[in-house]
């Protein structure tokens, strides 16, 4: 990804665009020699000397595109007079950015499919492992470790959908001239509208696009930038969500990200096992999530056919969006590839909270055996408050179950209490939901990426 947004690739792409334009113009009858095209094609890659010349030209001319036009003409002298014929700067800069969008999305999409595949296996492996649910960050009805992972995976599937849609919607600017009217090309072809339209089609196809935006100003609409970045920004939010969950679970010691053998958590506190990958993921995710605002502001501030206040910020935001997405995918891949679960800790946490949650089962069973629902509820309420006071005021273990087992009112269910306390009976359909979700949603969504995953999608065994 860093190479894609390097100056070497950017300026090579400009040269390639000039070759495509010259080839298409020659095909439509303009006097461009084979030698001119051959010299251009022989010098697509810039040398160190080319970069020095271009830097001097830009210092002199204060115009990056024209600096490279002259630099290219020096190494392809037979083409010096026809390079950039009829084009405006945005023919190079905008079309190049659209090519970078396409290739950048082609880089991140298989990686995203991979980080969906890996936690899907994790979810299946832990689909039956009960764990405390948390609402308001407080203990709530039980779920399973695998079902919670499905929450993350579903969000990632939506990111995959958004990025796939953005990729398929991409078009090409093509050859549109200084204000989008193609006036310069109409003049070159002596008023022949058909040849101007064919030139646009030829260059678009040479660039590998099936579609060129039919209406542009000097630039393609900056709403395209917003559209693409808006597909990436939610992925940043997803990374924050996943990283936040892992950080909280690390605090309760229920789950950890990978921790290397010689990794140091703190320079002072040698015992620390900080979730630094998840913290980094949240930090970069925040940056990516906020880039969409820049893109929308840039789009909204474009006046009429074009203003240049988009240029500097786009040179920052577009590479940042792709580079940050790529880095986040690598961090997320590392984290989900080595998540560590501590079942004993999870079981202890359940034991601490389950007595309160189990009381509803106790009430229903007592009523089934003939007791008053209201009388049972009041008895449970009194005993629960007594047990809660022991936990909060004296720091002792929750003894609600022991209190119920000693209370004569509950004697009809004394023999059933342990069975009513089985954590597996509190997870509802979490295991079934997990299996169905992976089978019906994940496997179907990842099927187009089977080759990128080396056939591993078929190995999601439900």
């Amino acid at each position: 990804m860093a190479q894609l947004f390097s100056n070497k690739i950017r300026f090579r792409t400009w040269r390639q665009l000039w070759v495509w334009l010259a080839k298409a113009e020659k095909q439509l009858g303009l006097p461009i020699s084979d030698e001119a095209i051959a010299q251009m094609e022989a010098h697509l890659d810039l040398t160190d000397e080319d970069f020095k010349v271009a830097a001097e030209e830009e210092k002199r001319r204060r115009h990056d595109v024209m600096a490279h036009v002259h630099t290219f003409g020096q190494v392809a002298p037979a083409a010096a007079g026809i390079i950039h014929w009829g084009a405006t700067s945005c023919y190079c800069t905008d079309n190049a950015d659209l090519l970078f969008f396409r290739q950048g999305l082609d880089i991140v999409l298989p990686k995203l499919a991979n980080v969906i595949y890996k936690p899907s296996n994790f979810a299946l492996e832990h689909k039956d492992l009960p764990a405390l649910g948390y609402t308001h960050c407080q203990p709530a009805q039980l779920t399973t470790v695998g079902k919670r992972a499905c929450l993350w995976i579903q969000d990632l599937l939506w990111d995959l959908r958004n990025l796939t849609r953005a990729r398929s919607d991409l078009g090409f600017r093509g050859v549109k001239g200084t204000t989008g009217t193609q006036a310069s090309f109409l003049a070159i072809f002596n008023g022949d509208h058909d040849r101007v339209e064919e030139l646009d089609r030829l260059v678009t196809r040479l660039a590998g696009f099936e579609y060129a935006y039919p209406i542009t100003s000097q630039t393609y609409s900056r709403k395209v930038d917003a559209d693409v970045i808006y597909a990436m920004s939610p992925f940043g939010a997803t990374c924050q969500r996943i990283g936040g969950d892992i950080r909280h679970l690390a605090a309760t010691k229920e789950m950890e990200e990978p921790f290397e053998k010689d990794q140091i958590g703190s320079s002072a506190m040698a015992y620390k096992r900080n979730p630094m990958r998840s913290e980094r993921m949240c930090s970069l995710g925040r940056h990516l999530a906020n880039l969409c605002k820049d893109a929308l502001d840039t789009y909204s501030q474009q006046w009429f056919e074009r203003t240049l206040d988009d240029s500097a910020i786009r040179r920052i935001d577009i590479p940042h969006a792709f580079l940050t997405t790529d880095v986040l995918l690598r961090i997320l891949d590392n984290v989900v590839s080595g998540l560590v679960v501590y079942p004993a800790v999870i079981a202890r946490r359940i034991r601490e909270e389950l007595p309160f949650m189990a009381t509803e089962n106790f009430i229903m069973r007592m009523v089934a055996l003939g007791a008053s629902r209201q009388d049972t509820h009041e008895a449970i309420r009194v005993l629960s408050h007594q047990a809660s006071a022991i936990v909060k005021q004296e720091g002792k273990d929750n003894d609600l179950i022991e209190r119920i087992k000693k209370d004569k009112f509950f004697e009809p269910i004394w023999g059933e209490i342990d069975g009513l306390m089985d954590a597996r009976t509190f997870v509802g359909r979490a295991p079934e939901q997990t299996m169905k979700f992976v089978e019906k949603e994940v496997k179907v969504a990842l099927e187009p990426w089977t080759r990128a995953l080396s056939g591993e999608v078929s190995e999601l065994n439900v």
Side-chain angles (χ1 to χ4, degrees):
M1 189 68 78
Q3 182 181 12
L4 176 63
F5 287 98
S6 66
N7 282 337
K8 181 178 180 180
I9 295 300
R10 175 170 295 278
F11 299 135
R12 187 192 193 281
T13 303
W14 289 6
R15 290 186 173 188
Q16 182 65 73
L17 284 159
W18 284 320
V19 171
W20 289 333
L21 179 61
K23 283 185 171 182
E25 289 175 334
K26 175 180 173 60
Q27 184 175 332
L28 293 171
L30 294 187
I32 298 174
S33 68
D34 291 337
E35 182 182 5
I37 292 175
Q39 287 182 5
M40 293 168 74
E41 289 184 321
H43 294 91
L44 288 174
D45 292 306
L46 282 77
T47 64
D48 291 341
E49 182 61 27
D50 288 338
F51 277 106
K52 291 178 183 178
V53 172
E56 287 300 319
E57 289 285 352
E58 186 171 354
K59 184 177 180 180
R60 173 188 170 196
R61 302 176 190 280
R62 306 301 297 172
H63 196 289
D64 55 353
V65 173
M66 286 308 299
H68 279 272
V69 167
H70 285 278
T71 302
F72 199 14
Q74 290 184 33
V75 295
I82 59 92
I83 294 172
H84 203 65
W85 194 356
T88 188
S89 296
C90 287
Y91 168 74
C92 302
T93 57
D94 276 31
N95 282 323
D97 283 337
L98 292 166
L99 288 163
F100 299 152
F101 282 166
R102 184 179 66 183
Q103 190 168 345
L105 290 170
D106 285 345
I107 291 171
V108 302
L109 279 166
K111 293 183 179 181
L112 179 54
N114 186 53
V115 299
I116 292 171
Y117 165 75
K118 290 184 177 179
S120 297
N121 275 328
F122 175 90
L124 291 174
E125 180 183 351
H126 297 92
K127 69 182 188 301
D128 297 313
L129 180 59
L132 278 181
Y134 294 95
T135 59
H136 310 273
C137 211
Q138 302 298 312
Q141 189 71 38
L142 299 192
T143 183
T144 68
V145 171
K147 168 63 189 302
R148 177 176 286 135
C150 288
L151 299 177
W152 308 337
I153 298 164
Q154 181 168 254
D155 292 346
L156 290 168
L157 284 177
W158 286 331
D159 293 322
L160 183 69
R161 175 203 62 190
N162 293 343
L163 289 166
T164 301
R165 192 267 316 151
R167 169 66 174 82
S168 64
D169 284 353
L170 273 179
F172 200 53
R173 176 190 177 276
V175 289
K176 298 297 196 297
T178 55
T179 58
T181 66
Q182 298 177 309
S184 58
F185 296 104
L186 193 62
I188 290 172
F189 289 110
N190 300 314
D192 189 333
H193 290 266
D194 290 340
R195 283 204 289 172
V196 174
E197 290 186 3
E198 183 61 17
L199 178 70
D200 204 0
R201 283 193 292 270
L202 284 173
V203 174
T204 298
R205 285 200 292 268
L206 285 169
F209 284 86
E210 295 297 324
Y211 169 76
Y213 300 118
I215 297 295
T216 73
S217 58
Q218 185 175 101
T219 71
Y220 65 79
S221 172
R222 295 308 181 223
K223 201 152 194 175
V224 175
D225 297 351
D227 195 44
V228 174
I229 294 175
Y230 242 90
M232 288 187 280
S233 284
F235 172 65
T238 301
C239 289
Q240 291 182 81
R241 161 68 197 276
I242 296 172
D245 280 359
I246 294 172
R247 291 163 66 191
H248 280 99
L249 291 170
T252 61
K253 297 181 174 57
E254 295 179 53
M255 182 188 294
E256 287 181 343
E257 65 180 37
F259 197 88
E260 309 303 331
K261 177 178 178 292
D262 296 319
Q263 182 175 328
I264 296 174
S266 168
S267 61
M269 297 170 280
Y271 57 88
K272 294 275 290 225
R273 294 172 66 92
N274 298 332
M276 59 91 172
R277 293 176 178 86
S278 297
E279 289 173 319
R280 186 179 304 143
M281 196 158 63
C282 289
S283 180
L284 292 173
R286 190 179 311 133
H287 173 61
L288 180 59
N290 283 302
L291 285 178
C292 61
K293 181 65 164 55
D294 274 1
L296 282 181
D297 286 347
T298 299
Y299 159 69
S300 67
Q301 291 301 313
Q302 287 297 285
W303 303 344
F304 305 116
E305 278 62 54
R306 195 270 160 95
T307 59
L308 197 61
D309 62 328
D310 66 334
S311 179
I313 194 168
R314 291 178 73 251
R315 295 180 191 218
I316 298 171
D317 284 350
I318 292 172
H320 274 206
F322 279 94
L323 289 166
T324 305
T325 298
D326 192 51
V327 169
L328 281 168
L329 283 165
R330 282 191 284 154
I331 298 172
L332 184 57
D333 178 68
N334 178 268
V335 169
V336 300
S337 296
L339 285 172
V340 181
V341 177
Y342 295 105
V345 176
I346 294 172
R348 187 191 71 218
R349 295 276 294 159
I350 291 174
R351 287 195 299 272
E352 291 171 351
E353 303 293 341
L354 191 59
F356 294 129
M357 299 177 191
T359 56
E360 186 175 1
N361 284 5
F362 299 163
I363 293 172
M364 290 188 293
R365 185 58 184 152
M366 286 290 292
V367 173
L369 294 175
S372 163
R373 189 266 179 197
Q374 274 59 250
D375 290 345
T376 307
H377 183 279
E378 177 60 18
I380 287 288
R381 186 190 69 82
V382 171
L383 295 178
S384 294
H385 285 193
Q386 292 172 355
S388 181
I390 290 293
V391 172
K392 294 178 180 178
Q393 296 173 16
E394 301 181 28
K396 295 181 179 179
D397 291 339
N398 188 336
D399 65 351
L400 175 60
I401 300 304
E402 286 72 18
R403 290 176 184 272
I404 292 174
K405 286 182 175 180
K406 293 176 182 178
D407 192 308
K408 291 288 291 183
F409 180 83
F410 291 99
E411 186 174 3
I413 62 168
W414 280 352
E416 302 179 45
I417 286 178
D418 290 340
L420 294 171
M421 287 281 292
D422 185 346
R424 292 172 297 180
T425 66
F426 289 83
V427 299
R429 297 191 63 252
E432 291 76 16
Q433 287 178 339
T434 300
M435 289 189 294
K436 188 173 183 179
F437 173 68
V438 173
E439 178 67 28
K440 300 295 185 182
E441 303 291 334
V442 178
K443 289 184 71 172
V444 172
L446 294 186
E447 197 59 42
W449 307 99
T450 302
R451 182 175 298 176
L453 296 172
S454 302
E456 292 173 333
V457 173
S458 60
E459 297 172 13
L460 286 173
N461 297 316
V462 179

